[in-house]
Amino acid sequence: MLRREFPLAITCVVGLFMVIGLFVPERHFTAGRTEVESWAIIIRAFAAVLGVANIGRISYLRISRREHEWVYHVPLLIGLVGMIVLGVGGSLGSAPLFGIAEGTFFNDLYMNVYVPMQGTMFALLAFFIASAAFRAFRVRSFEAGLLALAALLVMLGRVPIGAEIWDQLPLISDWIMNIPNNAAKRAILIGAALGAIATGLKVILGLERNYLGGE
Amino acid sequence: MSLSNRLVNLDRRYIFFVILIVIIIPYIRPLGLPIRVSREAEGFFSAIEKVPAGGTVLLAADYDPGSMPELQPMTLAALDLCFRRNVKVVGFCLWPAGPPLLNRALSQVAPRYGKEYGVDYVNLGFKEGQEAVMVRVGSALPEVFPADYNGTPVSTLPIMQDVENFSSVHLLISISAGYPGTKEWVQQVGQRFQNANREMLPIVSGCTAVSAPEYYAYVNAGQLDGLLGGLAGAAEIEKLAGVTGTATRGMDGQSLAHLIIIAFIVLGNLLYFLGGRRKK
């Protein structure tokens, strides 16, 4: 019983406290709320540590059992452990070998390995978008036609060459972004906010229990 | 095989090659297309211009290298605008891979204006906690960031002597690639905390092109004072700041790439309809 009811009670009390603390500007509530927010930061930090430990454990098991594509986990583990040691191993030595400031080995690896690799991954998107535009973007219905027309106008209106082709294109693009786009986005935002309030209430009242795990 | 069939089954590497060429050519031979400044970019610029000399802005650099081409030019231009007006910058990141990029931007711009680390600007580094950090910064920034990115206690930094929370600063600049970012800053902080002028803390955003459409709602509602969307937004703020950076240079390539993608969409549909008509 404690495994279910105790976490539910904690969630209810903390949830109500945070909601009331937002609307009641009384100093005890404010101080308590601030304290709980600090706990939240600490708990989130522990979650990050847990995530790193989990990646390390899974990678180690895959390598030791020679599971499918285990070889990719070797550079992952080396990178993970290596960057942690170089970054936080200040007590092992001083810069440039240890530490995270500019000029350190950590920063050089970040700037010369991590930045180009991640940049390359995202740059590939431009090529795949062009390929998908040619092969998959088909105007099969009236709605798809509207979508295609809006996309073409915004794509042209948002870049300098659009104004060179027709000086009204940027204005049309602005209108699409500010009126129809805004109307749809507002509807989505308001809907999502109402959904978040409903979910929040369900969590506080103990009606929504998925976060406790699959029991 | 007919020409249209051959085009439909075109090896996608040809498409990749065409894109590569249209992006590279403008870098070798710039077209110099004029950049038009939008109302949203003017709002971003004006918000920084309104910060009094000697005032302080918070710069949340919430992005990582994947978004660097779009967002780093915005950070550079924003820092340029701040430093030339003697506005102090307190930077931090809610994305773990962000601090070195912020460091690089600060060390690139600050020397141009003779700004000193710890006095005119500071990089507080990364803090885990997303929305909880945003709200906590509103009550006690030095408690959330007791040390800067290099581990120096903030209590020893002159710039941090007067910075307690949002009421010590004039503006929040959110350079954002996603979650946590501009949306969360608006939801958690906007219209809730006062700034040094005893007004609601103004927020401006520089974001990736893909997230910009969502933030137009916040601009029109007055919850964001300005918005830069993608490389185009970065080029606009570079124009307003009077600097020619990578965004301005990249806009020629982006213009041609957009034209080519539009041509691919039109050609793909043309072939689709021609093929369909033939089948009928």
Side-chain angles (χ1 to χ4, degrees):
Chain A
M1 182 189 162
L2 266 182
R3 282 188 68 192
R4 280 171 65 87
E5 305 309 328
F6 192 58
L8 285 175
I10 292 176
T11 307
C12 181
V13 170
V14 174
L16 283 174
F17 186 75
M18 294 301 278
V19 172
I20 294 168
L22 186 67
F23 294 103
V24 181
E26 198 274 328
R27 68 186 169 89
H28 291 101
F29 270 118
T30 311
R33 212 183 126 80
T34 305
E35 195 61 31
V36 174
E37 283 161 3
S38 296
W39 296 354
I41 294 173
I42 294 165
I43 292 167
R44 296 287 278 258
F46 272 108
V49 173
L50 197 66
V52 170
N54 202 29
I55 287 177
R57 192 180 68 89
I58 289 169
S59 297
Y60 172 74
L61 289 176
R62 287 229 167 139
I63 294 167
S64 60
R65 291 174 189 162
R66 298 287 192 273
E67 285 180 10
H68 180 57
E69 294 183 340
W70 64 272
V71 74
Y72 296 116
H73 289 268
V74 176
L76 191 153
L77 262 190
I78 293 171
L80 184 74
V81 176
M83 290 300 271
I84 289 174
V85 170
L86 290 173
V88 300
S91 55
L92 299 172
S94 56
L97 191 55
F98 295 103
I100 55 174
E102 284 199 331
T104 57
F105 199 43
F106 175 94
N107 196 65
D108 288 347
L109 280 173
Y110 176 92
M111 285 297 176
N112 301 312
V113 179
Y114 183 63
V115 170
M117 280 201 305
Q118 217 185 17
T120 304
M121 286 299 294
F122 278 84
L124 288 176
L125 203 61
F127 297 92
F128 285 107
I129 283 175
S131 175
F134 181 63
R135 290 164 182 277
F137 199 157
R138 296 283 178 265
V139 181
R140 291 195 170 95
S141 62
F142 175 70
E143 289 83 357
L146 278 182
L147 181 71
L149 182 66
L152 301 189
L153 290 171
V154 172
M155 278 177 75
L156 275 179
R158 289 289 292 159
V159 289
I161 207 161
E164 297 296 302
I165 293 168
W166 185 30
D167 61 359
Q168 296 299 304
L169 271 174
L171 301 178
I172 295 170
S173 166
D174 284 350
W175 182 84
I176 291 171
M177 294 297 278
N178 278 304
I179 310 296
N181 163 68
N182 219 355
K185 285 290 177 191
R186 274 184 182 163
I188 293 168
L189 280 171
I190 291 169
L194 292 174
I197 291 169
T199 308
L201 278 175
K202 281 170 77 179
V203 170
I204 289 171
L205 298 174
L207 300 172
E208 168 65 58
R209 302 176 180 195
N210 283 343
Y211 66 96
L212 292 174
E215 287 179 33
Chain B
M1 191 187 276
S2 68
L3 178 66
S4 62
N5 272 343
R6 260 189 278 174
L7 281 173
V8 167
N9 297 312
L10 185 71
D11 189 327
R12 65 180 180 179
R13 282 173 293 189
Y14 288 111
I15 298 171
F16 295 168
F17 184 70
V18 172
I19 287 290
L20 182 71
I21 294 297
V22 298
I23 290 173
I24 285 179
I25 286 176
Y27 275 99
I28 299 165
R29 210 184 178 87
L31 306 176
L33 294 166
I35 288 161
R36 176 186 152 273
V37 177
S38 64
R39 183 174 60 93
E40 293 77 22
E42 273 173 7
F44 188 103
F45 177 76
S46 308
I48 297 179
E49 289 284 296
K50 278 182 201 158
V51 178
T56 306
V57 302
L58 284 181
L59 175 63
D62 302 327
Y63 59 97
D64 63 8
S67 319
M68 193 179 165
E70 280 182 292
L71 302 183
Q72 190 79 346
M74 296 179 189
T75 305
L76 292 169
L79 288 174
D80 205 291
L81 287 169
C82 289
F83 288 149
R84 77 171 58 160
R85 305 193 65 255
N86 287 321
V87 170
K88 294 174 184 173
V89 178
V90 176
F92 56 87
C93 310
L94 301 181
W95 282 45
L101 300 181
L102 179 59
N103 241 9
R104 175 177 268 197
L106 288 164
S107 59
Q108 229 173 306
V109 183
R112 264 187 250 152
Y113 296 94
K115 298 298 177 190
E116 194 183 335
Y117 185 84
V119 177
D120 303 299
Y121 67 96
V122 65
N123 179 1
L124 298 176
F126 163 72
K127 178 66 71 175
E128 179 61 76
Q130 288 104 351
E131 291 97 330
V133 173
M134 294 175 177
V135 177
R136 255 328 247 123
V137 166
S139 49
L141 193 146
E143 281 180 23
V144 184
F145 291 95
D148 73 353
Y149 180 57
N150 300 316
T152 310
V154 294
S155 55
T156 63
L157 299 171
I159 187 174
M160 295 303 291
Q161 299 309 310
D162 301 323
V163 178
E164 183 57 31
N165 49 38
F166 290 130
S167 66
S168 322
V169 303
H170 294 82
L171 174 70
L172 171 67
I173 303 173
S174 163
I175 308 290
S176 151
Y179 175 83
T182 296
K183 188 176 175 180
E184 289 68 36
W185 280 112
V186 170
Q187 289 176 346
Q188 300 293 333
V189 169
Q191 309 295 313
R192 186 168 162 192
F193 293 95
Q194 288 190 330
N195 71 354
N197 293 337
R198 299 272 174 208
E199 300 160 343
M200 284 301 164
L201 179 74
I203 305 175
V204 290
S205 166
C207 65
T208 53
V210 73
S211 17
E214 190 167 1
Y215 301 155
Y216 272 77
Y218 296 135
V219 176
N220 287 338
Q223 290 168 296
L224 280 178
D225 284 39
L227 177 67
L228 307 173
L231 197 70
E236 288 172 34
I237 197 65
E238 280 184 353
K239 184 180 181 183
L240 288 167
V243 293
T244 305
T246 53
T248 307
R249 287 195 289 274
M251 281 315 289
D252 286 347
Q254 196 174 54
S255 286
L256 293 187
H258 278 204
L259 269 187
I260 286 294
I261 289 172
I262 288 168
F264 279 138
I265 293 172
V266 172
L267 182 64
N269 279 286
L270 207 61
L271 294 171
Y272 168 70
F273 283 113
L274 285 175
R277 196 176 292 169
R278 207 172 289 128
K279 274 177 199 166
K280 282 173 191 172

